[in-house]
Every structure is written in structure tokens, then in C-alpha cells.
Amino acid sequence: GGGRRLASYSVPRKPHRMTLENLAANLTSRRLLEVLLRFADELRAGLPSALQSHRLSHLWAYSYEGGGEGGSGEEGLQAGKKGISLHADFAAVNVNIWLTPDDANWDHESGGMVVYHRRPPNGSRFHDFNCPPGDGHVACVARLEDFVAGDGHTTVPHRQNRMVIFDSALLHSTDSYNFKPGFENRRINLTYLFGKGGAWKDD
């Protein structure tokens, strides 16, 4: 499960953030980087009430392999995979964009993300609301699931070019997904983080 980080860029430096078991790569194409940064400027200009007061701090892209190998039937849907686990981000505003064509997704009601209606209390430590891989990962995720239990959530299904904008401090996770096999069908999401969240305690 999980995704492969296609690209990552920090502006100007990366604060402490969970290390994922995915393969990671830097943005080596200057032209690609220029396009992505120009799009960030266009987002800030087009959404001034949400983004104008926040500068871009991070951007990355993840590529996820397809879901269950059972095909498009019930067995395949039940074998759907999980992506990034429950966490909150070190930013003020989160912008997620999905790039994969809709016909690659076997279940159009899933494959997006789940945003929970709860954020860490002011003064929380960032690492307490992110679960790095390792022996304590399952227990950490279970603790966060208990934290958000009963507060409600919004599930946003995957759609190509759909953009989801929300408070980065709200806990969120990748929804279960089941995409067709093949490189061209991989689930790809592009994430921009703007600003710095006010809830975190400086370590």
C-alpha cells in the first residue's frame, strides 16, 4: 500500500515532517518546477480570501499503485488499498489536486480523501499528530482515530482535476482506493501547502 513520492519541493526549507516509507525524489526538472510554482501563484491570485496572505511552503506529488488485484468486481473492490494514514500538516492551508483520469478508478465513490472535523489543540507538537512508519505506527494511528472519533468527517471522492482546499490542521487521510493496474492508471495527487499553521508548538 501507500504511494510513491514522485516529487517534493520545500520553500525555502523543509520543517520537520514525518518520514514515509515511499520512494522519494527531488524535482529535478527546472521547467516542471517553474510550471508548478507558477500554478501556485495563480492559485493565490485566484483565491485571495483563502491563500493571498499565505506564501507557498511545500509542494509534492504522490503516485499510488492500483488497488486490489481481484479486478473490477466485488472481490477487487473489497481489496482496495490505503494511502497516507491519518495526520495533520504543518501549514495553514492544504490544496490537493487529483490528476488521474476517472476511468482508471474502479470505484467512483472512493479514491479521494477523508477530512475529519477536528484539529489538534493549540500548542500541540507536530509529531504527536503524525505517525512515522515503524513499530509504533499502528498504535499511533489508532490513537489518532480515537482522537477524531465522534467529531464527524467529510469524504471527498476522487475526480480528475478536482481540487480540495481545507485547513491543514484538520486531520485527514487518503481514502481507500482501487484503481486499474498499469502505470498509466496510477492514482496521482498533487499537494500544495501554504503558510504555517498556528496550532503547533515550536520544538
Side-chain angles (χ1 to χ4, degrees), residues 67-183:
E69 299 178 355
S72 59
E74 182 178 356
E75 181 182 353
L77 294 180
Q78 289 176 347
K81 292 191 174 184
K82 289 286 188 179
I84 306 302
S85 61
L86 191 60
H87 68 285
D89 284 319
F90 194 89
V93 182
N94 185 307
V95 177
N96 263 261
I97 306 164
W98 299 309
L99 306 180
T100 309
D102 293 337
D103 61 8
N105 184 3
W106 271 330
D107 181 5
H108 290 176
E109 298 305 312
S110 68
M113 68 187 310
V114 182
V115 181
Y116 293 84
H117 304 167
R118 191 169 187 188
R119 57 178 56 82
N122 288 337
S124 297
R125 293 186 179 275
F126 179 73
H127 289 297
D128 290 339
F129 287 87
N130 285 263
C131 300
D135 294 339
H137 180 80
V138 173
C140 177
V141 172
R143 174 176 55 80
L144 295 185
E145 289 175 345
D146 287 342
F147 177 77
V148 299
D151 286 301
H153 64 272
T154 299
T155 299
V156 185
H158 177 280
R159 295 290 186 274
Q160 185 180 25
N161 293 330
R162 172 170 280 175
M163 183 166 61
V164 185
I165 305 175
F166 59 96
D167 179 350
S168 288
L170 290 171
L171 276 85
H172 54 281
S173 64
T174 306
D175 194 11
S176 60
Y177 63 94
N178 195 359
F179 282 45
K180 295 176 182 177
F183 181 81

